Each structure stands twice: as C-alpha cells, then as structure tokens.
Amino acid sequence: MYSLIFRTLLTRLDAETAHHLSFTGLRALDRMPGLRRLSRAVMSRGTLDPVEVLGLRFPNRLGMAAGFDKNAIGIRALTQMGFGHVEIGTVTAHGQPGNPRPRLFRLLGHNAVLNRMGFNNDGAAAARLELLRAREDIAKLPEDQRPIIGVNIGKTKVVEAADAAEDYRQSAAQLAPLADYLVINVSSPNTPGLRDLQSAEALEPIITAVRGAAAEAVGTPRSSLGHVPLLIKIAPDLADEDVLAVADLALRTGVDGLITTNTTIDRSVLTGADRAFAESEAGGISGEPLAERAFEVLRLVRSHVGDKLTVIAVGGIADARDAAARLGAGADLVQVYSGLIYGGPLWPGRMLRTLRRKP
C-alpha cells in the first residue's frame, strides 16, 4: 500500500516538500499519547534486541542516519518506527539556509536519492534547545526503549578551511553534553572544500578540537568508555589508500569509530535516464547504487583495524538481507535513510524482525 501511495501521490510532490509533510505527520502522531502508543505498538513491535556498542546500550542495531532530522525536532517520533538510535544533523556552529531549492531529487529507477542540501540547519544553539526537549521526551519512554542519540557536526559554509577546527569545536562545546556520541562529518560533497578536510593534516586538528571541547563540557559521559564517543564519517569516493589513512589517523588519535559511508559523487553507479539527470545536477547520491562501494569500504576498514574501532555501516541498505550482510562483514551497527523513503514507515520494523529471525 505504501508503495502505491508513494508512486502515485508522493512522487507528484517535490521531494523536499514530501519529506517535510511526512515528517510533520509522524511528529503529529507523536504528540497525541493514544495514537503514539498505538503507532509504536504497530510499527516497532518485536524490534527490541539490545546490544552494547561504544559503551552504550542500543535497543537494537538499526539507526536513522544523519540528514533526516537535521534540527533534532523529531527524535522520539522516529523511534516509533523501531529505530534503536537516531543521528541528528548535520549541525553547524552557525545556522545556514543551505543550497537553493530544488535540492533533493528521487532517482526512481534506482531506488536512490540525489541531494545537495548543503547542511541546511538552524545552528548548534538551536539544536541544543531541541535536544534538551528531546531528552525530556525520551525520558518518558520505558528505559529499554530509549534511543541512543548521535549528533553529527559539520563545517559552517562561510567559515574558511583554516578556521574549521574552531568551528567544529564550537558545535561540540554546545552539543556534547546532550549527545550519546558525536560524529565529525568531513565527507559531504555539498559544502565546497569540505572533503579536503579528510586529509590527515587537516583532520587531526579538528579531532583534537572536538575531543577537547567534549571532555571540557561533559563531566559524566553516558558511555562506559569514560568519554563522549567520537566517530568520523568518510566518503565512498576516497581511494582505498586514503580510506586506510583516515583509519590509521583514527587509531592514532583515539577516535572511537568510523561511519562508512556518506553519499557518492560517482555518476557511473547509475544508468539510463537517472544517470543523464544526475549528470546534469550537482549533489551526492544515496540509496541502492551506493551499496557496492559502501560495502567495499566497510570490509576494507574492518580488515585493517580489526576490533580496535567501532564501524557503523550506511549506504544502500535496502532490506534485512543487506543489513545482515553488513553486520556479517563486521559492522557493529547499520543506518538507513533512502531505504526508509522507498520502504515507508513499517519498513524498519519489518527489517528488524527479519534480522532477529536470522540464525
């Protein structure tokens, strides 16, 4: 039924408008206690499967990737669908409008999405206020249903690369006290020059600044690791040797994990009309075409670092089989985004129930 509604109605709307309408509807359900309990009972039935990762207790291994809830306005609402963690953001130190619309497009022939959002968000101060409210909201849930909250931070567009470390530090100082874990995003293709910060020379000062700000701001972290866990989200378009260089830097600087991967700028993952369209538009591609390279990067990282880093897999996960394959290849957790757009609100719960049945 969702597939029918999606293909006949939602695809007639601009993709960003459809996103806002569906997210608004989900949040409206969450504000009505009776409907919230009913929708949670239907959508998240049988999704509890606790696991400890990063010194934190996750209700299950499936999370909502960054990009869906940029301003932390619907964390509890997203857990209705069964997600064990929600990664909000990307948040920048200063609010910014992002790139001009239209900036979000469906690639229907490939179950994919093309976006050039450009870190549109209200800024770290506003996110902090929303996270305070979110913490109050999820405290009302039974303890075993409370999601883990990740906070993904990025560089403000107008800030020069030379000042990036201070920009990330400002975000971390405000948001670390309310985050279960932090993510440094240096891999979005939609902020000019951002991916250049993946080099060891540029990335190490950012890591140092974020870790220092978090340690100063958080006296008693929620993680049993004794600090706010810190991860780096990397691009799939890095050469293998550059992926390994980031992994080595993470090991050397005490970063706790990597997220593999962000969106790709490689148009060769598409064919036909979708490829022709994507070649005429800027932005990163997510969804099923990303799966092969994201899987390669996951396996490369895991084989290189062993069990020394947590690895979260994201990119092209379309069903429980894909999720199981990522976990089998060494991912500790998996995240989704485009799959939810094409699969609908019952999709995460179905995936989790199927994963629990797998031997």
Side-chain angles (χ1 to χ4, degrees):
M1 183 176 292
Y2 174 80
S3 179
L4 178 64
I5 293 171
F6 177 80
R7 297 281 173 173
T8 60
L9 296 178
L10 292 181
T11 55
R12 297 178 183 272
L13 298 173
D14 166 77
E16 189 170 350
T17 299
H19 168 78
H20 286 309
L21 287 174
S22 59
F23 197 16
T24 298
L26 185 66
R27 289 164 54 211
L29 281 176
D30 184 62
R31 286 192 292 268
M32 294 179 276
L35 288 177
R36 180 173 68 240
R37 287 192 292 270
L38 177 61
S39 63
R40 181 177 292 276
V42 171
M43 291 192 285
S44 66
R45 170 182 53 85
T47 59
L48 284 177
D49 192 10
V51 60
E52 183 165 320
V53 179
L54 295 168
L56 300 163
R57 183 188 179 280
F58 288 73
N60 57 57
R61 294 186 187 269
L62 181 65
M64 182 76 250
F68 195 94
D69 186 358
K70 294 179 179 293
N71 294 304
I73 58 175
I75 293 172
R76 187 178 66 182
L78 286 167
T79 67
Q80 292 181 43
M81 292 184 283
F83 290 114
H85 69 281
V86 175
E87 190 172 304
I88 67 107
T90 296
V91 181
T92 53
H94 308 282
Q96 55 186 29
N99 293 319
R101 295 179 67 168
R103 54 194 179 181
L104 183 67
F105 308 92
R106 309 175 191 90
L107 302 174
L108 295 174
H110 291 78
N111 286 348
V113 172
L114 172 68
N115 97 81
R116 54 169 179 266
M117 303 298 288
F119 288 172
N120 56 306
N121 74 105
D122 295 335
R128 180 179 177 276
L129 293 177
E130 294 295 347
L131 283 167
L132 284 168
R133 297 186 186 100
R135 286 286 174 196
E136 292 178 357
D137 286 345
I138 66 173
K140 299 172 185 176
L141 296 173
E143 188 172 359
D144 61 353
Q145 296 179 17
R146 295 172 190 170
I148 295 298
I149 300 175
V151 176
N152 184 302
I153 56 177
K155 184 181 79 68
T156 307
K157 184 176 182 179
V158 298
V159 170
E160 297 293 333
D163 300 318
E166 173 59 20
D167 192 59
Y168 280 90
R169 188 200 66 77
Q170 290 178 25
S171 294
Q174 294 212 57
L175 300 174
L178 296 162
D180 289 309
Y181 69 85
L182 288 170
V183 180
I184 295 173
N185 186 350
V186 285
S187 52
S188 169
N190 301 316
T191 295
L194 185 74
R195 287 189 168 193
D196 295 339
L197 299 179
Q198 291 177 109
S199 69
E201 181 179 284
L203 184 53
E204 186 165 357
I206 295 171
I207 294 169
T208 301
V210 170
R211 290 187 68 195
E216 185 176 338
V218 182
T220 307
R222 296 175 179 84
S223 168
S224 63
L225 297 180
H227 59 267
V228 180
L230 178 63
L231 299 95
I232 301 169
K233 189 168 187 175
I234 62 175
D237 306 311
L238 289 174
D240 286 358
E241 57 267 29
D242 294 325
V243 170
L244 297 181
V246 174
D248 287 336
L249 177 64
L251 290 169
R252 178 164 57 82
T253 57
V255 168
D256 299 289
L258 298 176
I259 299 182
T260 60
T261 64
N262 213 316
T263 59
T264 181
I265 58 173
D266 180 8
R267 270 44 182 170
S268 71
V269 299
L270 302 171
T271 59
D274 282 344
R275 180 167 180 171
F277 175 79
E279 287 177 341
S280 69
E281 300 284 352
I285 298 163
S286 61
E288 292 182 21
L290 179 57
E292 183 176 354
R293 179 56 182 165
F295 204 167
E296 288 176 354
V297 175
L298 163 65
R299 288 184 291 194
L300 179 66
V301 167
R302 181 53 79 200
S303 65
H304 187 69
V305 304
D307 60 359
K308 296 175 184 175
L309 293 177
T310 291
V311 182
I312 300 178
V314 59
I317 296 172
D319 53 31
R321 182 177 58 183
D322 290 336
R326 305 294 176 95
L327 294 171
D332 298 286
L333 303 166
V334 295
Q335 294 179 344
V336 296
Y337 181 102
S338 300
L340 177 65
I341 293 173
Y342 285 93
L346 297 177
W347 176 75
R350 288 199 304 269
M351 181 187 294
L352 283 162
R353 288 188 291 273
T354 302
L355 279 174
R356 291 193 68 181
R357 291 195 296 270
K358 287 184 177 294

